[in-house]
Amino acid sequence: MEVLASQPYAGGSIERVTMKKDPVGTVIITSKGKFGAANKTVKVSLTATSELLRGFSVLPGSPVDKKITGNFDVYGNGAPVILNGSYDFKSGSIDIEAPVYASGTVAYKNAGIQEVHEKYPVPSFPAINLDWYKNEAQKAGHYYTGSKTFGSGRYDGIYFVEGDITISGTYTGRAVIVASGNISLPNGNKQLKAVSPPDDLLVLMAPASNSIIDINNGDVDALIIANYFAAKGNGRVNGNLLVKDFDTNGNIDIYCHPDWVAAVVTFLSGIKATEIISWGEGASIL
């Protein structure tokens, strides 16, 4: 896509700027210009974090070898599944109605997968500034220390808990709820439902190195950003996930909504928005 053409700049000219986005959120920007008799091309590759939250992204710090068992279904609704490593989907009942992009290999003899792209370069998990979320929550009076329980009600803005969170019920509003520890559903009420998503939508975030978001036997309407996601038993997520690792050795259905990210993008300011993957310049970089 051409975004700029034939513009004077610094005594020379920018002849053409193009932008291309690949399916895993990598954006390649190419700029070609002139200064006197010299021609110059600059090419930059970067990752847009919001793209990683459109579907189901599993991005550990280094590639892993992982076997998925149980009943595991993902409905991408146009968004991809992005995996850092090699994944074995041959056990259990697997149905992934989304394109899968993996940095390693994908074994899926008995699984139904829309399409597979192996040894594909995938982005890294983005840096998250927990201090930014803590400060914003303190400004709003939504900062808590110790374990905290959230129930049915309206949530707006940014909430931060120094500890573990238990959450359930029916909610309205748009908010991000961050835990320095774990997030789970309580025994006795395994539902977290939005009245009218995405007008009402929560982002649940537990990105610390030992943190877990656990929805065992739960039914959740939310976007999830986590170090580790667990959904043993019977579980359902109506929303998108960006995690470093996961355990779904039960019966889990994930229904992605790529358009929901736009509803909460203002709450993603504490996440590094872009990451430059490569930078090159010369007379003829193509």
Side-chain angles (χ1 to χ4, degrees):
M1 177 179 67
E2 186 171 274
V3 294
L4 187 67
S6 300
Q7 295 291 322
Y9 179 76
S13 64
I14 297 174
E15 297 298 306
R16 188 166 185 247
V17 177
T18 59
M19 183 174 68
K20 180 181 179 182
K21 184 174 71 175
D22 81 356
V24 300
T26 300
V27 178
I28 300 173
I29 300 173
T30 304
S31 175
K32 298 182 178 183
K34 289 184 177 181
F35 187 82
N39 295 318
K40 195 85 163 183
T41 300
V42 175
K43 186 175 183 179
V44 180
S45 297
L46 53 86
T47 298
T49 298
S50 58
E51 292 294 313
L52 301 177
L53 194 53
R54 294 178 64 249
F56 181 40
S57 299
V58 185
L59 302 173
S62 57
V64 298
D65 292 317
K66 193 172 184 70
K67 184 175 182 179
I68 307 301
T69 60
N71 300 319
F72 176 64
D73 296 336
V74 179
Y75 304 92
N77 288 317
V81 172
I82 305 172
L83 307 171
N84 186 18
S86 295
Y87 286 74
D88 183 346
F89 292 103
K90 291 188 294 185
S91 300
S93 174
I94 311 293
D95 184 17
I96 301 179
E97 295 186 10
V100 174
Y101 295 85
S103 64
T105 59
V106 178
Y108 61 105
K109 181 179 179 181
N110 299 318
I113 300 181
Q114 181 176 309
E115 58 186 73
V116 173
H117 304 268
E118 297 179 312
K119 298 184 178 179
Y120 197 97
V122 303
S124 57
F125 193 91
I128 298 176
N129 185 351
L130 286 179
D131 286 337
W132 183 87
Y133 284 100
K134 183 188 300 185
N135 291 337
E136 293 299 310
Q138 288 172 333
K139 292 176 187 177
H142 296 157
Y143 173 75
Y144 308 93
T145 57
S147 298
K148 175 70 175 175
T149 297
F150 293 102
S152 296
R154 183 172 183 87
Y155 296 93
D156 292 294
I158 295 173
Y159 298 72
F160 193 99
V161 176
E162 292 277 9
D164 296 337
I165 291 174
T166 302
I167 187 168
S168 64
T170 302
Y171 69 86
T172 58
R174 292 179 179 175
V176 57
I177 298 179
V178 186
S180 66
N182 304 321
I183 299 177
S184 62
L185 303 177
N187 293 327
N189 185 357
K190 292 291 187 178
Q191 290 197 337
L192 178 64
K193 304 299 290 180
V195 170
S196 182
D199 293 332
D200 305 307
L201 187 61
L202 292 181
V203 181
L204 302 181
M205 191 184 301
S209 58
N210 294 316
S211 294
I212 298 173
I213 292 183
D214 186 350
I215 69 151
N216 288 0
N217 294 307
D219 185 358
V220 172
D221 294 345
L223 305 187
I224 292 174
I225 301 173
N227 169 66
Y228 194 91
F229 170 72
K232 294 181 180 179
N234 297 308
R236 180 180 185 272
V237 176
N238 192 37
N240 315 331
L241 295 96
L242 170 57
V243 302
K244 290 183 180 178
D245 199 1
F246 72 105
D247 181 359
T248 60
N249 293 332
N251 302 300
I252 179 71
D253 294 328
I254 299 173
Y255 296 87
C256 300
H257 299 272
D259 56 315
W260 284 12
V261 178
V264 294
V265 70
T266 56
F267 299 136
L268 304 181
S269 298
I271 303 176
K272 192 173 183 180
T274 59
E275 177 185 5
I276 294 177
I277 300 169
S278 65
W279 174 287
E281 59 180 89
S284 58
I285 298 174
L286 300 177

